[in-house]
Amino acid sequence: MAYLNDNYLKLKSGYLFPEIARRVNAFCQANAEAAKRLIRCGIGDVTEPLPQAVIKAMHKAIDEMAQRETFRGYGPEQGYEFLRKEIAKNDYRDHGIEVADDEIFVSDGSKCDCGNILDVFGHENRIGVMDPVYPVYVDTNVMAGHTGAANDSGSYSGLVYLPCTPENGFVPDVPNEKLDLVYLCYPNNPTGAIATREQLRRWVDYAIKNRSVILYDAAYEAYISDPGIPHSIYEIPGARECAIEFRSFSKNGGFTGVRCAFTVVPKSLNASTTEGKWTSVHPLWQRRMSTKFNGVSYPVQRGAEALYTTQGKEQVRELIRHYMGNAQVLRKGAKAAGLNVHGGVNAPYIWAQTPPGIGSWQAFDRILNEANVVITPGAGFGSKGEGFFRISAFNSRANAEEVARRLQALKW
Ligand SMILES: *Cc1c(COP(=O)(O)O)cnc(C)c1O
């Protein structure tokens, strides 16, 4: 008899995005006319085409694959040297941050990396997550058997939730208890919050004191507009001893469909063996990648490399300007509609408070039915997301403007 991993059965059915899709489909079936004017500001996916520099580089790479002399088969599991070098130089060393080329691991996505990283950590860790939170951190811990069952608001026993509220600016302070692994994400999805240098310093100091590891998701780093806000956890002294950083080309280069990201595992990062021996994490992650992964495709890595050229960088800035212009339009619109609005300044997400007495799924249904706009209900990101909804700025400018108009026309 085969046994299954029944931790999967603990996962809340009707996971956020399938449930949204179900409600949107039902709405479209019932309202064929209104369905035609539907605007999606729900899922966090980019909408604009790839930068020209990427297209050119990928075409060229495909042509190389077409000739026996320049054809390439399996590449290095950790990523091609040409890409890791550009990453370490442009994203870190040029900013005065010490990261070696071989501390970069190129992958097919940060979502995968955030989940896969659990492979190299034990099952006895106390794990902290922000609430609301990117669901991947929570669900992968459920799958790995690190939790008990979920309660009615979707919180799992066994995880430590760090509440993100308007009172703390959606940036939780370090807890009094000891955590072994902590997921932090700044700029944040879904709240759009950013952490200051001082706030991150408190987390790094906490991690060093408690010998914890911070899993730092910086997928939206390129959206930071405030000067002085750290783009990398490694800007904080001591972080090389206690943090892993996840970055992705999805949201800056528009690679959500192309698939390329990377993880930084400093060689100076240690964790304990069961016997209490303080041991480097880097060789374990290297081993994990070379055993369970066979590298990102060559044309994709050439495409990612092109994001670091002068043209590539300018084209990325142009994409970010576009999405953040939308964010500004949406923020203004939601404010003019009388809503309390957060985020949307250093992240492509607006985190809006629902009017008093209206739950976040109720707000979702009202906005869908009356404005024909799809947003994401905050409750889907955790219990502390109840009472909020997320508007994504990934759209055309015309759609963002239309959504802003429709939000203002809504009568709550
Ligand atoms: C979009 C996103 C990512 C990137 O995921 P990929 O798998 O690289 O596309 C990572 N973390 C968060 C919080 C995100 O929203």
Side-chain angles (χ1 to χ4, degrees), residues 46-69:
V46 297
T47 54
E48 304 309 297
L50 290 172
Q52 273 308 318
V54 171
I55 312 237
K56 245 174 82 181
M58 286 177 73
H59 276 300
K60 180 162 172 280
I62 295 282
D63 288 339
E64 288 174 44
M65 296 296 253
Q67 303 288 333
R68 157 170 272 284
E69 293 70 31

Side-chain angles (χ1 to χ4, degrees), residues 202-218:
R202 284 180 62 79
W203 273 107
V204 168
D205 291 351
Y206 168 92
I208 289 178
K209 187 170 131 232
N210 292 296
R211 300 192 144 197
S212 353
V213 171
I214 296 171
L215 301 171
Y216 195 76
D217 186 343

Side-chain angles (χ1 to χ4, degrees), residues 44 108-112 134 137 185 189 217 219-220 248 250-251 256 259-261 349:
D108 58 345
S110 275
K111 184 190 202 178
C112 330
Y134 181 52
Y137 317 144
C185 173
N189 174 14
D217 186 343
Y220 296 95
S248 171
S250 284
K251 311 296 166 37
T256 56
R259 310 306 305 144
C260 197
Y349 298 118

Side-chain angles (χ1 to χ4, degrees), residues 262-338:
F262 63 91
T263 296
V264 185
V265 183
K267 279 175 267 180
S268 46
L269 176 83
N270 292 297
S272 178
T273 64
T274 318
E275 285 79 39
K277 189 161 170 275
W278 204 227
T279 305
S280 181
V281 176
H282 184 278
L284 274 67
W285 185 245
Q286 179 142 30
R287 185 58 201 259
R288 191 260 164 219
M289 292 301 269
S290 54
T291 299
K292 292 199 188 180
F293 190 58
N294 239 339
V296 175
S297 84
Y298 173 69
V300 165
Q301 292 194 62
R302 281 296 186 199
E305 179 191 27
L307 292 170
Y308 292 102
T309 60
T310 309
Q311 297 95 322
K313 285 179 183 171
E314 178 47 38
Q315 289 157 10
V316 167
R317 275 195 294 273
E318 192 49 53
L319 278 173
I320 307 272
R321 264 198 294 274
H322 167 76
Y323 291 128
M324 290 314 286
N326 290 349
Q328 209 171 3
V329 167
L330 290 163
R331 245 181 88 86
K332 266 199 182 142
K335 270 192 177 167

